[in-house]
Amino acid sequence: MVRDMTHGSPLKLILGFAVPMAIGNIFQQLYSMADTIIVGKFVGVNALAAVGSTGSLNFLILGFVLGICGGFTIPISQCFGAEDMKGMRRCVANAIYLSVAITGVLTVVTLLLTRQFLVWMRTPEDIFQGAYEYIIVIFGGMFATMLYNLLSGFLRALGDSRTPLLFLIVSSVVNIVLDLVFILLFHTGVAGAAWATVISQVFSGLLCLLFIRKRFPVLHLDREDMTLDTKVMARLAKNGIPMALQFSITAVGSIVIQTAVNTLGSAVVAAITAAGKVQNLVTQPMDSLGATAATYCGQNLGAQRVDRIHQGFRRFVAVATIYSLFCMAVVMLGGTTIALLFVDKTETVILDYVRQYLLWNGLFFIPLSWIFIFRNGLQGMGFGFSAMLAGICEMVARSLVAFTLVKPMGFAGACLSNPAAWVAADLLLIPMYFHVMKLLNKKYAVQKKPVTI
């Protein structure tokens, strides 16, 4: 379903778009959660730590892919808002060409360097082989990640957040079934969990492709649309590369802190893995609000409705703040209970680490939610470089924590890495947003129009 976000109540549009996407993102988390639950319960704590130790490396590479996909869809949403369907299809075609080339290069590079990456990260010896077996399959299946995220991004750029949700639900069920088959029936260990993830993502990507062919004629490409266009590619790269680098730069900070955490032993690695899964699950709607902000801002910028962008932002911040308070209560009151999905109740030391980690992170969920809103909103308005600078702020903050606090404070120091990064990013993003709004108001000299709540 195409959704025009340039007219109507901003709040209704935001919730109508974000809620299905949030549900979809939660199901997407089930990919990795299913791996973690089944691996932790049926293979053991060391296997759980092995999967968890690859998290920051995974985010470094696949985060780049996600950023590229998100950035490529911004010009598409802007063309849609401007009712330039020919330009939109030209963007779609050239986004596909760039995605194929980028995926090919990244796949070859990561397959060659994965083992060395794990060595550089000081992955503990007792989990090194399991970590390698897991991540090498994930990187080998990178095309699947690109396929789904690019095609679902096309749908969301046109306002359809419900269809990707349905496909994620189906593929999540497939992933869980395959996890059980590979691990319990074929005894493939952590590698089986990775294969289940890749196959499930291929499945969801193919569903998106079939749906576009049958239900979205506006995205069907003819020979003229498929012409290589260097100007269009430059526009796509201008939006995609900064967003991709923002993800990867943020991941560099995560790798630095992961390297420091690895020195604390596999029990701490397992605890942070479990706590991270709990946190990612409850905070997924924040990510969905951010993606909604990118589409909302992109469409309204294309329609030159800067007034609606600012009005919508106030609603975004209010919804994000309220939801952050809810998340804070969930992780503080029930976080360790949720963590029992991944860790046996007899692992009392690990569960205590989980409780401490979630406590410190939960206190800073409001600045975390604001990062998603302001970063994605700026990207949707075409200011991807600002988001990349915010990623640098996060990286620097995490690195400082790793170099100055983890060694003297141990696990407590590691707990402070995320809060420090989130606050640092907001200190840049919020002033940047108001600066960008001043620039856009001058550029378009909009006439204010009343907008309903």
Side-chain angles (χ1 to χ4, degrees):
M1 178 184 70
V2 173
R3 187 190 300 269
D4 184 352
M5 304 184 79
T6 63
H7 300 89
S9 164
L11 182 59
K12 291 180 180 178
L13 288 167
I14 289 166
L15 294 178
F17 189 91
V19 170
M21 184 180 290
I23 297 172
N25 282 343
I26 289 172
F27 272 95
Q28 192 168 29
Q29 279 296 310
L30 290 177
Y31 282 131
S32 56
M33 280 187 63
D35 294 345
T36 308
I37 292 171
I38 295 171
V39 166
K41 292 290 186 180
F42 297 107
V43 187
V45 171
N46 275 5
L48 173 65
V51 173
S53 68
T54 66
S56 55
L57 179 58
N58 194 344
F59 184 48
L60 173 68
I61 305 301
L62 297 189
F64 187 90
V65 171
L66 296 177
I68 281 287
C69 293
F72 284 173
T73 60
I74 288 171
I76 295 172
S77 66
Q78 292 173 348
C79 288
F80 179 75
E83 300 182 357
D84 178 12
M85 300 305 157
K86 181 178 179 180
M88 182 192 69
R89 287 189 291 271
R90 184 68 63 87
C91 286
V92 167
N94 283 270
I96 293 171
Y97 298 146
L98 287 174
S99 298
V100 170
I102 290 169
T103 303
V105 172
L106 282 178
T107 300
V108 172
V109 171
T110 52
L111 290 178
L112 292 175
L113 296 179
T114 294
R115 184 175 292 275
Q116 188 59 50
F117 278 141
L118 294 175
V119 172
W120 287 336
M121 292 174 62
R122 301 178 185 176
T123 306
E125 290 185 9
D126 56 341
I127 63 175
F128 186 96
Q129 186 58 32
Y132 178 78
E133 291 175 0
Y134 179 81
I135 199 64
I136 198 70
V137 175
I138 295 295
F139 286 163
M142 194 181 306
F143 72 93
T145 303
M146 180 69 84
L147 176 68
Y148 170 74
N149 284 281
L150 187 66
L151 295 181
S152 64
F154 292 162
L155 294 175
R156 289 175 180 135
L158 274 61
D160 184 359
S161 60
R162 295 182 181 179
T163 302
L165 158 65
L166 297 176
F167 295 158
L168 273 175
I169 291 174
V170 173
S171 59
S172 295
V173 173
V174 172
N175 183 60
I176 293 171
V177 172
L178 290 178
D179 269 329
L180 293 171
V181 170
F182 282 131
I183 291 176
L184 297 184
L185 186 61
F186 297 146
H187 306 289
T188 54
V190 293
W195 277 111
T197 297
V198 171
I199 294 171
S200 301
Q201 288 184 326
V202 171
F203 187 67
S204 59
L206 292 177
L207 287 176
C208 284
L209 180 62
L210 291 174
F211 183 79
I212 289 172
R213 291 188 63 180
K214 290 187 175 182
R215 299 292 181 87
F216 269 76
V218 71
L219 289 175
H220 293 180
L221 307 177
D222 57 28
R223 187 179 298 275
E224 183 181 0
D225 297 325
M226 298 176 66
T227 303
L228 285 170
D229 190 320
T230 56
K231 290 184 178 179
V232 172
M233 285 188 173
R235 183 182 179 186
L236 291 165
K238 181 182 177 181
N239 287 274
I241 291 177
M243 189 179 289
L245 290 177
Q246 177 265 314
F247 274 94
S248 292
I249 290 169
T250 301
V252 169
S254 298
I255 287 177
V256 172
I257 198 69
Q258 181 71 57
T259 302
V261 166
N262 284 345
T263 65
L264 301 178
S266 56
V268 171
V269 175
I272 292 181
T273 299
K277 295 299 182 184
V278 174
Q279 180 173 300
N280 288 340
L281 178 63
V282 300
T283 60
Q284 276 306 302
M286 299 180 190
D287 189 21
S288 304
L289 280 172
T292 304
T295 299
Y296 179 90
C297 291
Q299 287 194 14
N300 280 284
L301 184 69
Q304 299 184 13
R305 290 297 309 273
V306 182
D307 56 317
R308 280 182 61 84
I309 292 175
H310 188 59
Q311 291 162 341
F313 246 91
R314 292 200 295 268
R315 275 68 167 185
F316 276 114
V317 171
V319 172
T321 302
I322 293 170
Y323 183 74
S324 298
L325 295 173
F326 169 76
C327 287
M328 191 184 304
V330 170
V331 299
M332 289 183 179
L333 298 176
T336 51
T337 301
I338 301 173
L340 292 174
L341 290 170
F342 317 105
V343 181
D344 192 87
K345 63 181 179 180
T346 59
E347 301 286 353
T348 55
V349 173
I350 292 178
L351 290 172
D352 186 58
Y353 283 143
V354 169
R355 180 188 60 78
Q356 294 179 52
Y357 187 87
L358 291 176
L359 173 63
W360 279 104
N361 281 257
L363 290 172
F364 291 86
F365 277 170
I366 290 178
L368 170 62
S369 70
W370 289 354
I371 288 177
F372 288 109
I373 300 302
F374 286 96
R375 182 179 65 199
N376 285 274
L378 288 169
Q379 289 167 339
M381 290 183 276
F383 291 83
F385 185 72
S386 301
M388 187 176 71
L389 291 178
I392 293 174
C393 288
E394 289 189 63
M395 178 191 69
V396 171
R398 283 197 175 92
S399 299
L400 286 175
V401 169
F403 290 131
T404 63
L405 297 182
V406 172
K407 187 173 182 179
M409 296 178 62
F411 181 74
C415 291
L416 297 175
S417 63
N418 282 334
W422 299 337
V423 172
D426 279 332
L427 289 175
L428 174 69
L429 286 170
I430 295 174
M432 185 64 70
Y433 164 76
F434 287 102
H435 174 67
V436 165
M437 291 305 296
K438 287 182 180 179
L439 294 177
L440 293 178
N441 275 313
K442 289 181 180 179
K443 179 177 180 180
Y444 294 107
V446 295
Q447 181 178 355
K448 304 297 182 184
K449 298 179 181 179
V451 178
T452 58
I453 295 176

